[in-house]
Amino acid sequence: MSKQFTYSISSIRFDENYHPADSTRLTTNFANLARGEQREENLRKTLRMINNRFNALAHWDNPAADRYSVEVDIISADLDIEGNGHTFPVIETLKTTIVDHKENTRIDGMIGNSFSSYVRDYDFSVVLLEHFDKNPTLPPPADFGDLHGKLFQYLLNSEAYQANFTKQPVICLSVSTSKTYHRTINQHPVLGVEYRQDEYSLTDDYFHKMGLTVRYFMPAGSVAPLAFYFTGDLLSDYTDLELISAIATMETFQKIYRPEIYNANSAAGQVYQPSLQYQDYSLTQIVYDREERSQMAVKQGKFTQEQFIKPYQAILEEWATSFDVNERTSEACADKEYAA
């Protein structure tokens, strides 16, 4: 691998002692909770919610619903563009580890889960806003998200990623409030009832450029479907416990951030239109400032523009032009099949 465009990976434990790194986006769900006077209580309650949800889903041989606990690590991927040791924090995700207290073992959980990206902030909070200001009736430019998608796929094929992780990531996000979802007859024992929609959202298209496919499932005990973004086969590439670790972690965050959807007092029906205007929902006891989070996205998008896009624009454009998405994607699939 060239000394240019080299990823390095680091991790930090997400627990009650967690303090966001200087390079972490403040809009990131886990970082937002670790601020203010109630930060430790926020973190303790969040982890308790994750553990309770995990045990509720992993209920077999678990009569007291306390067999498992989940450890969460924040994975940071920093990119050295020029090979001079100066890096930019391109992507952050979460890695879960499952502790089986009955067998006294540790089991790999899901890699991916949440997805944090400064470049995505730049795309949605700078590029997209400027585009719609000038062209309010036109769709986003055809190349919207191209660079970000290639940076993500380059990470998955990097020596750093393959040295640390044996599986491809699964990203779990909220469904779009601009789309309508229809329940199908397909039901998975862990992921639950599958929903489908007739038209993909802008986020779906954006993640497609990252090489990810999306499916929507509402697990047992949930009140709204989650969007799962993945490569390969979501239903066969991951164990039940891996899938449960993703559901427990990300549904907890969504209950905190989007209670109108994921902590509603009634479950999604046959035809489901998510809405943040829904009033019949319950609040968690965890402090979260959603208004501040939306304002910070714009600030961090502009930070990315000044610190990453502008200084390296010529290099990024040249690299992106030479990066073969199809070739890299096929290489990733081949590696996955070999590992299996």
Side-chain angles (χ1 to χ4, degrees):
M1 179 179 292
S2 168
K3 290 184 179 179
Q4 290 186 319
F5 277 78
T6 302
Y7 274 110
S8 58
I9 288 178
S10 60
S11 67
I12 182 172
R13 178 61 50 86
F14 177 74
D15 57 19
E16 63 186 60
N17 300 311
Y18 166 67
H19 289 273
D22 292 338
S23 60
T24 294
R25 292 166 61 247
L26 296 180
T27 57
T28 301
N29 44 26
F30 42 82
N32 190 278
L33 295 177
R35 303 169 64 197
E37 295 180 357
Q38 295 179 276
R39 54 172 303 281
E40 289 187 7
E41 187 63 20
N42 273 351
L43 297 172
R44 276 195 292 267
K45 288 178 178 178
T46 299
L47 293 167
R48 189 179 305 125
M49 286 176 65
I50 292 172
N51 289 337
N52 289 343
R53 184 62 172 134
F54 188 99
N55 281 289
L57 288 169
H59 51 77
W60 58 93
D61 292 334
N62 189 8
D66 62 357
R67 175 172 176 172
Y68 302 101
S69 60
V70 180
E71 295 176 353
V72 181
D73 288 293
I74 301 164
I75 305 299
S76 300
D78 297 340
L79 183 62
D80 184 345
I81 290 182
E82 297 181 301
N84 57 13
H86 296 151
T87 62
F88 186 83
V90 177
I91 289 168
E92 279 186 323
T93 62
L94 299 178
K95 172 70 172 68
T96 58
T97 301
I98 303 152
V99 181
D100 183 341
H101 298 285
K102 178 182 176 182
E103 300 295 335
N104 195 27
T105 57
R106 298 169 60 81
I107 307 164
D108 280 342
M110 191 68 75
I111 172 65
N113 302 288
S114 178
F115 183 79
S116 170
S117 165
Y118 275 112
V119 179
R120 186 172 63 161
D121 273 347
Y122 166 73
D123 280 339
F124 278 89
S125 300
V126 177
V127 174
L128 202 59
L129 290 184
E130 290 179 354
H131 168 78
F132 284 132
D133 282 344
K134 297 176 182 177
N135 310 282
T137 62
L138 295 180
D143 63 353
F144 179 71
D146 282 0
L147 173 63
H148 182 268
K150 291 178 179 181
L151 289 171
F152 179 77
Q153 293 191 49
Y154 189 70
L155 169 64
L156 298 191
N157 285 278
S158 69
E159 292 179 1
Y161 185 89
Q162 294 179 7
N164 284 275
F165 311 108
T166 60
K167 292 190 178 183
Q168 298 288 291
V170 173
I171 310 298
C172 182
L173 303 180
S174 168
V175 287
S176 172
T177 56
S178 67
K179 303 301 175 186
T180 299
Y181 299 83
H182 302 267
R183 185 183 296 183
T184 72
I185 61 172
N186 189 39
Q187 185 164 353
H188 184 269
V190 170
L191 293 169
V193 177
E194 184 167 18
Y195 277 74
R196 290 180 182 163
Q197 58 169 324
D198 296 331
E199 182 184 22
Y200 288 128
S201 68
L202 183 57
T203 297
D204 295 339
D205 289 336
Y206 193 80
F207 275 73
H208 181 70
K209 290 193 174 184
M210 295 160 58
L212 303 178
T213 302
V214 64
R215 292 177 75 170
Y216 316 94
F217 286 93
M218 185 168 75
S222 301
V223 296
L226 292 158
F228 295 86
Y229 297 89
F230 59 94
T231 65
D233 188 337
L234 177 66
L235 306 190
S236 63
D237 290 349
Y238 304 92
T239 67
D240 287 350
L241 292 183
E242 285 174 323
L243 294 173
I244 290 172
S245 71
I247 296 167
T249 301
M250 296 314 299
E251 190 178 83
T252 293
F253 284 132
Q254 297 298 350
K255 283 183 176 181
I256 297 168
Y257 306 132
R258 291 195 160 189
E260 301 92 337
I261 297 175
Y262 290 98
N263 216 29
N265 293 326
S266 57
Q270 198 75 23
V271 179
Y272 179 58
Q273 169 72 64
S275 174
L276 293 176
Q277 305 307 313
Y278 189 67
Q279 296 298 310
D280 186 20
Y281 64 91
S282 300
L283 290 172
T284 65
Q285 298 178 8
I286 297 171
V287 178
Y288 168 66
D289 190 338
R290 187 158 62 189
E291 180 65 26
E292 180 191 45
R293 188 170 187 250
S294 64
Q295 294 172 352
M296 288 298 295
V298 177
K299 294 180 182 178
Q300 293 179 160
K302 292 180 177 177
F303 165 80
T304 306
Q305 184 179 35
E306 295 301 320
Q307 300 297 320
F308 184 68
I309 301 297
K310 285 185 176 180
Y312 301 112
Q313 186 164 8
I315 299 175
L316 288 168
E317 289 177 354
E318 180 181 1
W319 172 82
T321 300
S322 65
F323 183 85
D324 189 333
V325 172
N326 293 328
E327 179 183 346
R328 299 287 177 169
T329 302
S330 63
E331 287 177 3
C333 292
D335 287 344
K336 178 175 69 65
E337 290 170 2
Y338 179 80

